[in-house]
Amino acid sequence: MIDTHAHIYAEEFDADRDDVVQRALAAGIENILLPNIDLASIEPMLATEAAYPSICRSMMGLHPCYVDGNVKDTLKEIQGWFDKHHFIAVGEIGIDLYWDKTYKAEQEYAFITQLNWAKERNLPVVIHTRNSIEQTLSLLKKEQDGTLKGVFHCFGGNLEEAKAINGLGFHLGIGGVSTFKNAGMDKVIPELDVKWLLLETDCPYLAPVPHRGKRNEPAYTALIVDRMAQYKETDRESLIAMTTRNAKALFSL
């Protein structure tokens, strides 16, 4: 299995990061993909990748929740990293209007700018959306020139949204939300085409049942695939094989 979205470089893992990685390997995790969030996360992310070079792969991008009035300067600094290091994706990027709409225009600017980096460098993008699916799809539709590819991470939407995302050539990252009783994913996942699905944890957030509310970690990817297999009435081995193939192809692993 590949955990396509994990923040194991975060301080929540400082005390036991090695144990977390060992548990992931024991659970059958082959790779752990690390999305960047802001300027402060770059150093710990790269240090984590360097500590586990055969397992971890890093991305570079500015998360919408860390966009502010200095967005142009921040983006300039983030962009400079692409010439210094090999990254597997531009991410995580997107639009988040859940907490605060103050920097909505700046978020849109950052999103479009980073989509263009992905086009220039032929890299996939990892997209974060919260209370913003319509705006995100609208911007993506304008920017999609046939070369953009990537994933809407932590997908928890409806079937219509899933089809719109797939229609633009994008994958869906399925994580812990799929195991939540009231999330409605039991109705959506059976209808999704496996060729568009990726596994992820978004750890330390959104731990799957029975660990909901606690710290999430890559080993719990196994619980997510178990629930998906149950919803799709299929065997977990074929789901693992397909989602792993999808991840390897998308991120050129």
Side-chain angles (χ1 to χ4, degrees):
M1 290 174 282
I2 294 174
D3 182 352
T4 61
H5 200 107
H7 302 274
I8 62 163
Y9 56 80
E11 59 185 15
E12 285 90 340
F13 297 101
D14 284 353
D16 65 342
R17 190 170 289 108
D18 200 53
D19 292 340
V20 166
V21 171
Q22 295 312 317
R23 282 195 292 273
L25 294 173
I29 305 294
E30 185 180 342
N31 288 116
I32 301 170
L33 311 188
L34 312 175
N36 188 55
I37 53 170
D38 63 359
L39 292 174
S41 60
I42 297 171
E43 197 183 325
M45 177 185 72
L46 293 179
T48 302
E49 182 185 47
Y52 309 100
S54 61
I55 302 156
C56 295
R57 300 279 188 281
S58 60
M59 314 174 192
M60 183 51 62
L62 178 63
H63 187 295
C65 289
Y66 298 88
V67 167
D68 58 21
N70 294 321
V71 65
K72 289 187 177 175
D73 290 341
T74 306
L75 285 172
K76 198 174 175 185
E77 215 172 314
I78 295 234
Q79 186 180 20
W81 276 96
F82 285 98
D83 295 324
K84 296 186 247 182
H85 188 88
H86 171 69
F87 297 101
I88 58 163
V90 178
E92 69 187 276
I93 68 175
I95 311 277
D96 190 312
L97 304 176
Y98 180 74
W99 296 111
D100 189 359
K101 297 184 179 71
T102 308
Y103 296 109
K104 182 174 181 281
E106 288 85 350
Q107 283 193 34
E108 291 183 359
Y109 172 81
F111 184 49
I112 291 165
T113 299
Q114 294 178 97
L115 288 176
N116 280 302
W117 296 351
K119 288 186 212 177
E120 288 159 17
R121 294 175 180 274
N122 192 28
L123 288 172
V125 293
V126 172
I127 296 178
H128 167 105
T129 62
R130 202 169 180 200
N131 286 26
S132 62
I133 191 80
E134 281 176 32
Q135 294 94 324
T136 307
L137 283 170
S138 168
L139 291 169
L140 192 57
K141 201 173 278 184
K142 285 180 196 154
E143 293 300 323
Q144 179 56 286
D145 60 357
T147 65
L148 278 173
K149 58 193 173 177
V151 56
F152 276 64
H153 107 87
C154 195
F155 180 73
N158 59 39
L159 193 55
E160 193 184 345
E161 289 164 353
K163 285 181 174 168
I165 290 165
N166 295 159
L168 284 171
F170 279 73
H171 290 71
L172 304 165
I174 307 295
V177 173
S178 63
T179 71
F180 299 173
K181 204 173 179 182
N182 301 323
M185 296 302 282
D186 55 325
K187 306 281 190 295
V188 178
I189 287 175
E191 306 299 323
L192 301 178
D193 187 337
V194 182
K195 78 174 184 183
W196 292 112
L197 303 184
L198 302 176
L199 302 175
E200 64 161 83
T201 59
D202 196 19
C203 64
Y205 318 106
L206 299 170
V209 174
H211 305 289
R212 190 175 182 181
K214 297 180 181 143
R215 185 189 72 174
N216 198 1
E217 61 175 81
Y220 297 166
T221 308
L223 297 169
I224 294 157
V225 86
D226 287 347
R227 187 60 62 96
M228 283 170 68
Q230 189 186 324
Y231 289 156
K232 286 190 104 36
E233 296 180 0
T234 186
D235 64 294
R236 75 191 297 275
E237 283 68 31
S238 62
L239 263 183
I240 288 169
M242 193 67 177
T243 52
T244 299
R245 202 177 308 138
N246 295 343
K248 284 183 172 176
L250 181 64
F251 294 107
S252 303
L253 299 176

